[in-house]
Amino acid sequence: MKLSSLYNEQQELRRNTYSSLTQIYQEVQTFKQELKDFQSFSYLLMRNFQHQYQDYLSQIVDVVQGTQLENENLQFFQAKAVDLEQSLQEINERYQVEKQKRKALHNDLVELKGNIRVHCRIRPLLPFDTESGDPAFQKRSLSLSEKVVHATDDETVLVRCSRPGHTLFNKTFQFERVYSPLESQKIVFGDVCPLLTSLLDGYNVCIMTYGQTGSGKSHTMLGPHSESDPVSPSEADQEMGIIPRAAGELFRLLSENPTINPRVEVSVVEIYNNELFDLLTKDSSGIFGVKRDVITTKEGKSNVPLLTYEHVECPAEFMKLINKSLQLRVKHPTLVHADSSRSHLVVTVTLTIAVPFDSFADQQLSQKLCEEMLCTTQKVKTSEKAGFCPRGLSPAPIPLDPTEQQKQVQAKLQLVDLAGSECIGMSGVTGTILRETSFINRSLAALADVLGALSEHRGHIPYRNSKLTHLLQDSIGGDAKLLVMLCVSPCQKYLAETLQSLGFGSRARQVQRVQAKRRNLLVSGKSK
């Protein structure tokens, strides 16, 4: 029994051992297959890695080579930048020299053209040229609105004179510049702009618009400035007149050289019914527009005592004063123009700049001052030894410190928007407006008389016949650079007024005045 049992256990053990060995064998075979697959995968992975490694290594080599090339280029450009900086410095030095020459040539050119220059601007046809409340006139509106004034070129105006009872003929007028109706405000200001350079060089400048009511004077000088001129903001920028553009250009020029320590002051006056009003100050009752008077100083210059001057530091402040003054300006509608200005507007910009002695002429002035002071000192010493001091000589002159020497130049820019001349019969005015028209026409006639007297070299020039001519005496007959902008209508309806304006401009061109001069220098704050 025991043998049988042992035998059975031995057989069972054999079976279990075989089963285990079989299972182990199968697992070993499976592991071998997995190991074989892993070896194949590892081989493929290694090959892929080698390929990627070669690709990345090639890219790294390319980047390194590119970096080296960029470094070489950077070094080249750095060296080139140094050369350009040196060249720029040399060019700036030459520019400063040429700038001084340009200033001299600019002023020579302006003076060769004449101190009084006359430009003529022909406005386009406007709706009110054919509109009228008179039925009889409406029947003739087409013929009367026919264009008879033309700009044949930049310097010539052609007028086709066709009036009932008169022979048809053409008449031409020559001016320094003629603008056709298609030329913009920007083009007009382009010819005015050089005068601002003269202002910064120390010359007095006056720009005035002249013409009949409704001919475009205020539009040329101010641009859209009333409710009757509704325009979009973009159109307003394009249609800006001479005054706002001059304000922007003046401060732009001043910003280019901050070392000159500029001071800009503005006054605004209105001449209404031959009375002058300061529009920047209030009277005792708080109303703007205080009456002032014009006087002639001992030096023969015109002056307005107690006139208000406001200091401005940017174009916005400048135009704020102008716009406030325009609200006070007297206006009334007429049959010719619905928003007719009934007064002359004069904007005066006083520019004071202080710069060091930097030109040969300034050095000569400094040397002359020192010589005069040395001579004065020697005279005083001689006088003291003799026991007396001559009248008018300082007993102890104070020499100038060369390190503090500077010049101060004060120049004035006058911007004048004249009231329009009118034919009383055509404008249809009565009462108070008729009286205004009479004063306007008389003041403009006085202006024409002054120009006539100047052109004929008369001994007496009637400046005091009108507050307008008295105020503008230094600009019209003095040494200021004067630009007269004639504004004329192109249509037959205003032919007589147009011929009168063109005749006025022709007389103005004939005036020969003294050469324009720079303003006096103020050395160390004292006038010389």
Side-chain angles (χ1 to χ4, degrees):
M1 286 292 291
K2 291 182 178 180
L3 289 173
S4 174
S5 176
L6 290 172
Y7 177 78
N8 290 333
E9 290 178 357
Q10 184 179 13
Q11 290 298 321
E12 181 67 24
L13 181 60
R14 284 180 179 177
R15 285 195 296 273
N16 292 337
T17 302
Y18 179 78
S19 176
S20 298
L21 290 174
T22 302
Q23 185 177 0
I24 292 171
Y25 175 78
Q26 291 175 349
E27 290 178 354
V28 168
Q29 292 299 321
T30 301
F31 178 74
K32 285 182 178 180
Q33 184 62 39
E34 291 177 352
L35 181 61
K36 185 177 179 180
D37 293 342
F38 179 75
Q39 289 176 340
S40 299
F41 176 75
S42 299
Y43 176 75
L44 291 174
L45 186 63
M46 182 63 70
R47 288 185 61 185
N48 290 335
F49 174 76
Q50 289 176 346
H51 289 156
Q52 291 180 1
Y53 172 77
Q54 293 295 331
D55 291 340
Y56 290 141
L57 182 61
S58 177
Q59 292 177 13
I60 291 172
V61 170
D62 292 341
V63 170
V64 170
Q65 292 177 347
T67 302
Q68 291 176 346
L69 181 61
E70 291 297 330
N71 285 335
E72 292 174 359
N73 290 336
L74 179 61
Q75 293 175 358
F76 169 76
F77 285 119
Q78 286 177 339
K80 191 172 182 179
V82 172
D83 293 339
L84 288 174
E85 287 178 357
Q86 293 176 349
S87 299
L88 180 60
Q89 184 176 357
E90 294 174 358
I91 290 172
N92 282 334
E93 292 173 355
R94 292 200 300 269
Y95 168 72
Q96 295 301 325
V97 175
E98 294 299 325
K99 185 178 180 180
Q100 297 299 324
K101 294 180 180 179
R102 182 204 61 78
K103 284 186 177 181
L105 291 173
H106 164 79
N107 288 303
D108 287 345
L109 177 61
V110 170
E111 288 166 10
L112 285 172
K113 289 182 177 180
N115 290 339
I116 295 184
R117 272 146 294 155
V118 182
H119 295 189
C120 179
R121 189 179 194 189
I122 306 171
R123 70 159 171 80
L125 287 172
L126 298 174
F128 65 76
D129 288 330
T130 57
E131 293 175 359
S132 174
D134 183 0
F137 177 78
Q138 288 179 350
K139 295 179 181 179
R140 299 184 292 122
S141 61
L142 273 179
S143 61
L144 289 176
S145 63
E146 179 186 355
K147 291 180 64 174
V148 296
V149 183
H150 306 271
T152 58
D153 56 42
D154 287 349
E155 297 179 349
T156 307
V157 175
L158 171 64
V159 182
R160 301 185 185 279
C161 299
S162 174
R163 290 182 290 178
H166 294 77
T167 305
L168 175 64
F169 68 97
N170 295 336
K171 192 169 185 178
T172 58
F173 297 84
Q174 296 289 325
F175 301 107
E176 280 73 25
R177 182 69 163 88
V178 174
Y179 306 95
S180 72
L182 300 178
E183 294 186 90
S184 66
Q185 298 273 66
K186 182 178 180 181
I187 292 176
V188 172
F189 182 72
D191 293 323
V192 173
C193 193
L195 290 172
L196 297 179
T197 303
S198 294
L199 178 71
L200 265 67
D201 289 342
Y203 292 85
N204 283 346
V205 174
C206 179
I207 303 167
M208 69 169 64
T209 52
Y210 180 96
Q212 71 167 113
T213 298
S215 59
K217 299 182 304 302
S218 295
H219 182 79
T220 298
M221 190 61 76
L222 296 161
H225 60 282
S226 67
E227 296 179 357
S228 62
D229 297 328
V231 292
S232 65
S234 60
E235 289 176 332
D237 289 340
Q238 294 177 357
E239 292 299 314
M240 283 195 306
I242 290 173
I243 289 180
R245 290 179 188 270
E249 179 66 11
L250 173 60
F251 283 98
R252 186 192 70 79
L253 291 172
L254 292 175
S255 67
E256 291 182 349
N257 189 359
T259 61
I260 61 178
N261 190 24
R263 180 175 178 83
V264 180
E265 296 176 303
V266 179
S267 71
V268 185
V269 301
E270 175 185 50
I271 300 174
Y272 173 68
N273 287 352
N274 203 34
E275 296 289 350
L276 189 145
F277 297 91
D278 183 351
L279 298 184
L280 297 184
T281 192
K282 301 177 182 179
D283 60 16
S284 58
S285 60
I287 299 176
F288 278 96
V290 176
K291 186 184 295 187
R292 302 294 190 200
D293 199 9
V294 186
I295 64 171
T296 302
T297 64
K298 293 180 180 179
E299 295 78 16
K301 303 292 184 181
S302 61
N303 184 39
V304 181
L306 303 178
L307 182 62
T308 304
Y309 285 87
E310 294 283 355
H311 177 222
V312 294
E313 296 183 343
C314 64
E317 292 181 4
F318 183 102
M319 290 310 301
K320 184 177 180 180
L321 290 178
I322 301 302
N323 291 329
K324 181 177 72 171
S325 301
L326 290 176
Q327 299 300 317
L328 305 172
R329 192 177 184 186
V330 180
K331 297 181 181 181
H332 287 128
T334 70
L335 293 180
V336 176
H337 193 247
D339 193 27
S340 176
S341 299
R342 314 306 295 169
S343 66
H344 309 295
L345 184 73
V346 181
V347 178
T348 303
V349 182
T350 303
L351 172 66
T352 305
I353 56 178
V355 293
F357 286 101
D358 57 356
S359 66
F360 178 72
D362 295 333
Q363 292 172 7
Q364 285 184 320
L365 175 60
S366 178
Q367 182 179 0
K368 182 179 179 182
L369 288 172
C370 293
E371 290 175 352
E372 290 179 354
M373 296 181 71
L374 179 60
C375 180
T376 302
T377 304
Q378 291 173 347
K379 289 180 179 180
V380 171
K381 288 181 179 179
T382 302
S383 300
E384 289 175 346
K385 289 180 181 179
F388 69 94
C389 181
R391 182 179 301 175
L393 293 179
S394 173
I398 302 174
L400 293 175
D401 182 354
T403 61
E404 296 179 355
Q405 289 182 3
Q406 63 177 3
K407 66 178 180 180
Q408 285 188 325
V409 180
Q410 188 175 80
K412 287 188 178 182
L413 168 65
Q414 287 186 304
L415 302 164
V416 185
D417 181 24
L418 296 175
S421 58
E422 289 184 357
C423 174
I424 295 177
M426 182 170 291
S427 60
V429 295
T430 58
T432 302
I433 306 179
L434 176 60
R435 183 169 180 267
E436 293 171 350
T437 301
S438 177
F439 274 111
I440 291 171
N441 289 343
R442 271 189 278 174
S443 62
L444 294 176
L447 180 59
D449 290 342
V450 166
L451 290 175
L454 288 170
S455 63
E456 296 170 7
H457 305 285
R458 297 179 200 165
H460 171 68
I461 310 298
Y463 291 114
R464 299 192 186 188
N465 285 359
S466 167
K467 290 287 178 66
L468 174 66
T469 53
H470 197 178
L471 177 65
L472 300 179
Q473 174 179 342
D474 299 340
S475 297
I476 301 171
D479 57 5
K481 296 184 178 181
L482 173 61
L483 170 62
V484 178
M485 182 73 69
L486 301 177
C487 296
V488 298
S489 167
C491 58
Q492 172 73 32
K493 181 162 85 169
Y494 305 113
L495 179 59
E497 290 81 0
T498 296
L499 289 173
Q500 185 273 331
S501 296
L502 295 174
F504 173 89
S506 297
R507 287 192 298 275
R509 292 190 70 202
Q510 297 172 6
V511 175
Q512 296 180 352
R513 305 182 306 166
V514 297
Q515 185 178 11
K517 297 178 182 178
R518 292 182 66 171
R519 297 305 93 203
N520 291 336
L521 301 184
L522 302 175
V523 183
S524 294
K526 295 183 179 181
S527 178
K528 172 61 187 169

